[in-house]
Amino acid sequence: MQKSIEVCLTPALLNLYDIEHSIVVVIDILRATSSIVYGIDNGAEAIIPVSQVEECLDYAGKGYLLAAERNGEVVEGYDFGNSPFSYVTDKVKGKTIVLTTTNGTKALHMASSRANQVVIGSFLNLKALCNWLKSQDKNVLLLCSGWKDNFNLEDTLFAGAVVSELRKDFDHFDDSCVAAEDLYLLAKDDLRAYLHKSSHSHRLAQLNIEEDVKFCLQLNLCQTIPVLEGKKLVALKA
């Protein structure tokens, strides 16, 4: 089978892609998908993504951890937001987390309504993800969550990293793949320096969470690939 890989640069363009038979990789590097990967790698039983802050409240008092982020900040009254440092083993092992974020969980829900399979990508699990994608006989769409339906640099850079890894194993690439890979090759020697140009990096700097940004740009810290099963993200079984 000839396999294709495409990059959707923002969820606003997702309706242009046929994904019914594809694996969709949801990407929200700063910080939702990085935290999801890290949390499940650290033993979280599952993460339930929900679209609205109010939906988290449906799970209150039932033994779940509630995580809500809007515009980069923890929503008042919730256990935590989407900083990877909240998803350490001591906090999440054996727990189920209900999570809503500004961009990532929205993209997840959009993908889940049509995709054959939905998995989570980040620099933290880049190698494990790419090795798995190589072994699958399915087309791949890399879905960048962007920022409120706009293009962003950090998600596109990660998509480019995946394209660069998979180039020998796939047959067809779209122009978004070419652009994403070119950006990644330009930035790869110092991702953080390149991302100082990005609008979201500036937003996060105002919140004094530079350590989060640095953490999310680490390569191959995790082996876990979160996969959506029903309403829950769980560790993909080999």
Side-chain angles (χ1 to χ4, degrees), residues 67-81:
E69 170 270 333
R70 285 296 181 269
N71 299 314
E73 298 184 277
V74 180
V75 178
E76 188 176 348
Y78 289 80
D79 295 310
F80 44 82

Side-chain angles (χ1 to χ4, degrees), residues 1 9 19 31 35 42 49 61 81 96 100 102 106 129-130 140 142-143 147 150 164 167 180 190 203 205 208 217:
M1 168 185 171
L9 295 169
I19 58 172
R31 298 162 284 167
S35 294
N42 281 333
T96 295
T100 183
T102 306
K106 175 187 172 183
L129 174 69
C130 289
V140 171
L142 304 172
L143 174 57
W147 175 259
N150 287 301
S164 188
R167 179 157 289 287
D190 194 340
R203 276 189 291 272
N208 295 315
L217 298 178

Side-chain angles (χ1 to χ4, degrees), residues 117-173:
Q117 191 171 26
V118 177
V119 298
I120 301 299
S122 72
F123 285 109
L124 302 179
N125 71 339
L126 173 64
K127 193 74 175 176
L129 174 69
C130 289
N131 286 340
W132 179 75
L133 290 172
K134 288 175 188 178
S135 72
Q136 304 304 299
D137 287 324
K138 288 192 177 75
N139 296 331
V140 171
L141 178 74
L142 304 172
L143 174 57
C144 301
S145 297
W147 175 259
K148 298 183 177 180
D149 278 345
N150 287 301
F151 168 91
N152 76 13
L153 275 177
E154 62 271 13
D155 295 348
T156 307
L157 286 178
F158 176 76
V162 175
V163 172
S164 188
E165 284 277 340
L166 297 183
R167 179 157 289 287
K168 294 177 183 176
D169 298 275
F170 284 73
D171 305 289
H172 300 288
F173 301 83

